[in-house]
Amino acid sequence: MNRTPLIAGNWKMYKTGSEAVETAEKLAKLSTGIISTDIMIAPTYLSLPLVTQKLLGTNVKVGAQNLYFEKEGAYTGEVSAEMIKDTGAEYVIIGHSERRQFFGETDKSVCKKIKAATEASLIPVLCIGESEKERDGKNTFSILDKQVKNGLKDFVSDDLKTLVLAYEPIWAIGTGKTASADQVEEVHKYLRSLIGQLFSADFAKNIRILYGGSVKPENVKKLMAIEDVDGALVGGASLDPDKFIKIIGFDN
Ligand code: 13P
């Protein structure tokens, strides 16, 4: 397998600028020498320039948690892909379930955001996942199918060379309820084959598919051992560098 694992920390709406810098510096120190795994943290927009500056030349890359798809304009409160790129950030999380749930994000806006990200040469991390009700109603695969097909509508694989997919079952986020290895394996396998059908077998073989939802030092090894799991998108456990480094070092 030639997919480099990616362990990403989504800091959500936690940490002031100074707290973010302190945490990032500590994490960079702890992760010195790690070359077999890509590492990314996504602080709030406000901390992006501070954190990217501090992390220059380290193993820890930086991402934003969202973007707005227009290049510029009268869109009070929004931030464009170019503005994120200009801070030195390299990644952007798109379509997180919290954005879909609380801020009206739809597959249609997700699709536009992916386009804006790729045009600005940011690496998009597209988040998808079903709710508990959807899983109980046996709709997991139809929901994921819709999110992937609509989120990636009208692209060709050449547009999406760096795309990362993150499967985050909503019922596992911040709940301590991790999906079982069987559930994760089934979904990741399905997603890779869906990507293969939509684009090409080669593209599907190379795309990184992360799992997110209550990933902790205690369960990361088991999750990373699953064939189609290429990394983790971590919320709560990424806020503490001593904990996060144990997730990053899953292969030790
Ligand atoms: P937790 O790791 O806190 O469950 O959050 C997962 C998540 O939403 C990452 O984007």
Side-chain angles (χ1 to χ4, degrees):
M1 183 183 84
N2 54 3
R3 300 186 296 264
T4 306
L6 169 63
I7 304 288
N10 174 8
W11 287 0
K12 309 192 178 183
M13 200 176 75
Y14 290 99
K15 297 187 189 291
T16 61
S18 51
E19 289 165 350
V21 167
E22 196 186 323
T23 311
E25 281 186 310
K26 190 159 179 200
L27 183 65
K29 233 178 240 154
L30 291 170
S31 55
T32 309
I34 294 186
I35 45 161
S36 51
T37 298
D38 290 345
I39 308 165
M40 184 270 270
I41 50 170
T44 69
Y45 282 144
L46 279 178
S47 302
L48 275 184
L50 298 168
V51 168
T52 46
Q53 274 300 314
K54 285 287 174 199
L55 293 180
L56 276 179
T58 73
N59 286 335
V60 184
K61 306 300 174 201
V62 183
Q65 298 173 17
N66 182 31
L67 58 72
Y68 190 55
F69 49 75
E70 294 290 351
K71 285 196 163 53
E72 60 178 10
Y75 303 106
T76 302
E78 295 298 323
V79 173
S80 74
E82 284 295 337
M83 291 167 188
I84 292 167
K85 183 76 184 172
D86 184 61
T87 67
E90 294 175 45
Y91 290 79
V92 59
I93 297 171
I94 294 177
H96 192 280
S97 62
E98 285 150 17
R99 296 223 52 91
R100 295 178 192 254
Q101 191 181 346
F102 303 125
F103 303 101
E105 190 86 85
T106 62
D107 290 335
K108 210 170 165 182
S109 57
V110 162
C111 186
K112 289 184 184 174
K113 288 181 178 194
I114 297 211
K115 186 158 195 290
T118 54
E119 282 176 1
S121 302
L122 287 167
I123 301 171
V125 180
L126 167 58
C127 300
I128 54 171
E130 81 288 359
S131 67
E132 186 151 44
K133 197 166 152 219
E134 287 159 348
R135 177 163 280 270
D136 290 347
K138 307 221 176 309
N139 294 316
T140 299
F141 294 102
S142 63
I143 290 292
L144 295 173
D145 205 81
K146 185 174 88 42
Q147 289 173 337
V148 170
K149 282 185 180 152
N150 294 340
L152 300 179
K153 206 173 159 183
D154 300 332
F155 287 105
V156 293
S157 54
D158 268 0
D159 303 327
L160 300 172
K161 276 190 190 124
T162 61
L163 177 75
V164 176
L165 210 53
Y167 169 56
E168 297 205 304
I170 298 169
W171 48 271
I173 296 178
T175 57
K177 249 202 261 174
T178 323
S180 72
D182 284 351
Q183 287 170 327
V184 177
E185 184 172 5
E186 187 184 31
V187 168
H188 279 235
K189 200 171 171 184
Y190 174 81
L191 290 173
R192 200 175 300 284
S193 105
L194 176 62
I195 292 290
Q197 282 163 35
L198 295 175
F199 299 99
S200 69
D202 206 42
F203 182 71
K205 206 173 74 202
N206 288 309
I207 190 170
R208 292 187 287 187
I209 308 178
L210 315 185
Y211 167 78
S214 298
V215 177
K216 301 182 222 56
E218 298 76 37
N219 59 24
V220 65
K221 233 188 174 90
K222 191 166 156 199
L223 290 161
M224 290 302 295
I226 300 168
E227 192 181 327
D228 284 303
V229 174
D230 307 310
L233 185 52
V234 186
S238 73
L239 296 169
D240 173 354
D242 291 316
K243 224 182 215 183
F244 194 36
I245 195 67
K246 291 190 184 139
I247 297 177
I248 294 166
F250 69 90
D251 52 352
N252 286 330

